[in-house]
Amino acid sequence: MANGDVDNISQDLISLLSSEERDYLVRNNGDQVKISNLMGKTVGLYFSGSWCGPCCLFTPNLVEVYEELLPKGDFEVVFISSDRNDESFNGYLAKMPWLAIPFSDSETRKRLKELFKVRGIPNLIFLDATGKVVTNQGVRIIGEYGVDGYPFTTERINFLKEEEENAKKNQSLSTILVHGSRSHLVSNDGNEVPIPELEGKTVGLYFSIKMLCLDFTPKLVEVYKKLKERGESFEIVLISLDNEENDFKEGFNTMPWLAVPFKDKCCKKLARYFDLENLPTIVVIGPDGKTLNPNVAELIEEHGIEAYPFTPEKLAEIEKARLEAQTLETILVSEESDFVIDKSGSKVLVSELVGKNILLYFSAHWCPPCRAFLPMLVKAYNEIKEKDNAFEIIFISSDRDQSSFDEFFASMPWLALPFGDKRKSSLARKFKIQGIPAAVAIGPNGRTVTKEARQLITAHGADAYPFTEDHLKRLVEKAEEVAKEDEKKAKEGSACDGGHRR
């Protein structure tokens, strides 16, 4: 635990939560509840404030868990406010069904924050029935496990993690989608469809939030309809992460497939189960119930129906075809643009660069490693151009404003995409650029030579050109030969020195 010396101490709730003038907590209707009523319960100390965005997002989740656990009779939450005035406190408490330290008791609120070393909000600390700290990671646990995390002990969380690992080993469509007493999905006309009806099919789990997936959903609908027309044994299941039912309904009404019911606990559980990182995500489950692909959204966007059935063999086939078909024009020409710019801002047609060795240089002025690498790249560029004029670099900027772009580009002797050009995003996605600076070498035929050109220039300077495997192999062999020759000369020199001394 992160609370240091309070972890193993059983706190007396009365002395912990009371003051000399007060032995009670308050509800949002003004009722006073004796602190002694909390004895023997699991208690969550909820440090939060109405002005805090993450708090406002988390509070409804905690309300849902609280209302489910309340009938047990052994669970309570106490709100410790970070609000700045009584009006804000009352307005926020009105959304909470639990107890609170009165806003007027600022000393107790301050004492609790100091005692539990609260450095940020929302913060949720659980105490067990004896008053010991169970965890100070209540926000994360509620977010990941919800009511299933109760009583929020290390043992319970480890059990849930072990349960998830076992579920992955024995995964089937039913273990993924069946939750509690629910063994069906819903269609957008209100019908219930038993999950076993999908067994043996290839199923795409579509994780979506309506507003974030507005552009992608129509493309997915088109692919889905074509696959159904072709008679493929394929289905999609919407896993909505929308917070508002209207958003869920409006989004689902545009979809011809099935869905997990709105706000089903299964939705967040599945987002964690599949390590969801971004939206949209489509996890593909094979006919055997095993995960075939963790996310085919990008494949569908780029290749549509041709990506089906999303098997490793199909993806390898697509990648091979893509690489073979790649040219400088397919990389750099879009519907809006077919040019780059030179130092004067004049347009240089992509067609004029065909047949050259091209380096796509992803960089930005705000990035210290980019500024550090630039002089090395300029030196290598000038040396390479002296040997081979059929070489060019194109700066692809991640700068945040035009002036930063202009200042940085002014220190470069090569070409660039215009600032804010839409092709930057597609290029970063195509070459899977995870960080900058990065440099991708494109050969005279327009195919990718290497995505590691920055590392090669750092190691070998201009000698790394033209970055091909054969050239780099010869470079390494030459370096090894030089090293052996130097070692041989050193040994011979040592022998001569020894003979002279004798």
Side-chain angles (χ1 to χ4, degrees), residues 17 24-29 31-35 37-38 41 43-44 46 66 75-80 89 93 96-102:
L17 300 176
Y24 60 87
L25 301 167
V26 295
R27 291 196 184 279
N28 55 24
N29 61 2
D31 286 352
Q32 297 180 356
V33 177
K34 293 284 188 181
I35 296 171
N37 289 352
L38 275 61
K41 295 184 178 183
V43 176
Y46 182 39
Y66 178 84
F75 178 69
E76 190 52 78
V77 172
V78 178
F79 170 42
I80 297 108
F89 168 80
L93 182 59
M96 302 175 179
W98 46 73
L99 305 171
I101 302 286

Side-chain angles (χ1 to χ4, degrees), residues 281-338:
T281 285
I282 303 174
V283 178
V284 177
I285 307 299
D288 61 355
K290 308 302 180 188
T291 302
L292 200 59
N293 195 302
N295 189 6
V296 298
E298 189 174 312
L299 286 167
I300 288 174
E301 195 157 27
E302 289 187 11
H303 304 287
I305 195 172
E306 299 303 320
Y308 186 80
F310 315 112
T311 58
E313 295 78 14
K314 184 64 177 179
L315 302 186
E317 179 187 320
I318 288 173
E319 182 64 14
K320 182 181 178 183
R322 185 183 69 80
L323 291 175
E324 289 176 351
Q326 180 177 296
T327 65
L328 196 63
E329 287 99 329
T330 63
I331 295 171
L332 286 176
V333 175
S334 69
E335 292 180 2
E336 295 86 7
S337 304
D338 62 352

Side-chain angles (χ1 to χ4, degrees), residues 431-451:
F431 294 108
K432 295 179 171 57
I433 302 301
Q434 301 297 321
I436 54 175
V440 177
I442 306 298
N445 59 5
R447 295 181 188 172
T448 304
V449 175
T450 179
K451 299 176 187 176

Side-chain angles (χ1 to χ4, degrees), residues 396-445:
I396 300 165
S397 173
S398 291
D399 283 302
R400 293 158 182 165
D401 54 68
Q402 183 74 52
S403 61
S404 297
F405 168 84
D406 292 340
E407 181 181 346
F408 205 32
F409 187 37
S411 61
M412 302 174 186
W414 44 72
L415 307 173
L417 285 188
F419 173 73
D421 195 292
K422 292 181 180 178
R423 288 173 288 174
K424 181 257 179 186
S425 297
S426 63
L427 287 167
R429 186 169 63 249
K430 179 186 288 286
F431 294 108
K432 295 179 171 57
I433 302 301
Q434 301 297 321
I436 54 175
V440 177
I442 306 298
N445 59 5

Side-chain angles (χ1 to χ4, degrees), residues 73-97:
D74 60 357
F75 178 69
E76 190 52 78
V77 172
V78 178
F79 170 42
I80 297 108
S81 176
S82 292
D83 283 300
R84 292 153 185 170
N85 56 63
D86 196 63
E87 183 180 358
S88 299
F89 168 80
N90 289 329
Y92 196 27
L93 182 59
K95 302 174 182 178
M96 302 175 179

